[in-house]
Amino acid sequence: MAGLVDTDVIISGAGAAGLTLAVELARRQVSFLLVDKAAGPFTGSRGKGIQPRTQEVFEDLGLLDRVVASGGEYPVQRFYTAEGPVDRPAVEMPEPTAAEPYQIPLLVPQFLTERRLRERLSELGHAPRYGHGLVGFGQDGDGVSVRIATPDGDRLVRARYLVGADGGSSFVRKSIGIEFAGETLGVRAIVADVRVDGVGPEVWHRWGQGTEAQVSLCALAGTDMFQLQGPVRFDVEVDLSADGLTTLVRERTGRHDITVRSVSWASAFSMTPGSPTPTGRAACS
Ligand SMILES: Cc1cc2nc3c(=O)[nH]c(=O)nc-3n(C[C@H](O)[C@H](O)[C@H](O)COP(=O)(O)OP(=O)(O)OC[C@H]3O[C@@H](n4cnc5c(N)ncnc54)[C@H](O)[C@@H]3O)c2cc1C
């Protein structure tokens, strides 16, 4: 098993959950192997709201300051109505207390949060192994034997524990027959990280209501991009290119001065009965 050694814990998946666990194990000198089947880190904004409890966890991990410095606070929402623009706070937070000290409505794109987690992990002497996908495992009384597909072929690794941090479609979860419980929303939506001309970053711009009219643009603090969001019908082909998103934004806002210049990452998500199923494409530029 060249390059891979037996270890206490194998973490499958180096997203937010896997990286957090890796930092915790590294702090306690527990040996682990952190593998991810992707070729490299994920580049999308996805989850951008850092909740108060998460901020407490980040403080404990020693990275709250740099996560705060990576993003910003949620901007005010500006609703463009027939009567004119109406501003409302995006998040109303109570005053900090000793029990809940962090009440900042913090906005950080997920790829920046994960970058800070990787930096902290690196300080502790570890890094994720990308291009390493979990493809099989078997459990016995002493531990687990794990098969990992690597660029150099399959490897077999022995560990005391295997942790499935491999996302919503988790291979580990499905392999051991655990259902993905939860509610489905019955909606389909676009989320995209875009560079835009025609609007500024000072407010979260929101237009329209309903599946075919609503669209919003929220500046992604710490970047020069906006997160574009909008519901879409299940039965339409969605064009996630810059031209396609420009057309969608102009149709929904009536603003022909708004242009999507480039798309860093985009996805159209269908929440169908049963389990959430991502559709569309992810793109990097
Ligand atoms: C399009 C989209 C928009 C979202 N928007 C929001 C939002 O606005 N707000 C919010 O709070 N949350 C949002 N989320 C959810 C949020 O991104 C997730 O809750 C979060 O990423 C979960 O983190 P995780 O580490 O559990 O899983 P993930 O981030 O999914 O990471 C799992 C990792 O496991 C790896 N992996 C998968 N299978 C294997 C395998 N067999 N072997 C090795 N590695 C494997 C994957 O490559 C991936 O890197 C969004 C998610 C998506 C997809």
Side-chain angles (χ1 to χ4, degrees), residues 12-18 35-38 46-49 110 114 132-135 165-168 171 191 227 229 265 267 269:
S12 177
V35 295
D36 198 300
K37 70 177 182 183
R46 301 208 295 190
K48 64 184 186 305
Q110 190 168 330
E114 293 184 7
H132 286 57
L134 184 78
V135 290
D166 44 1
F171 175 79
V191 56
Q227 190 184 62
Q229 289 178 286
W265 166 77
S267 184
F269 265 70

Side-chain angles (χ1 to χ4, degrees), residues 76-81 84-90 202-205:
V76 165
Q77 298 181 94
R78 178 161 295 166
F79 293 88
Y80 296 95
T81 71
V86 177
D87 288 356
R88 278 186 229 137
E202 59 287 343
V203 295
W204 183 345
H205 306 272

Side-chain angles (χ1 to χ4, degrees), residues 170-210:
S170 171
F171 175 79
V172 174
R173 175 180 62 76
K174 288 179 181 165
S175 300
I176 55 179
I178 297 175
E179 296 289 316
F180 192 170
E183 285 180 41
T184 53
L185 298 176
V187 294
R188 183 170 181 232
I190 293 173
V191 56
D193 299 345
V194 295
R195 292 183 179 81
V196 180
D197 291 333
V199 291
E202 59 287 343
V203 295
W204 183 345
H205 306 272
R206 309 196 75 134
W207 295 268
Q209 287 187 326

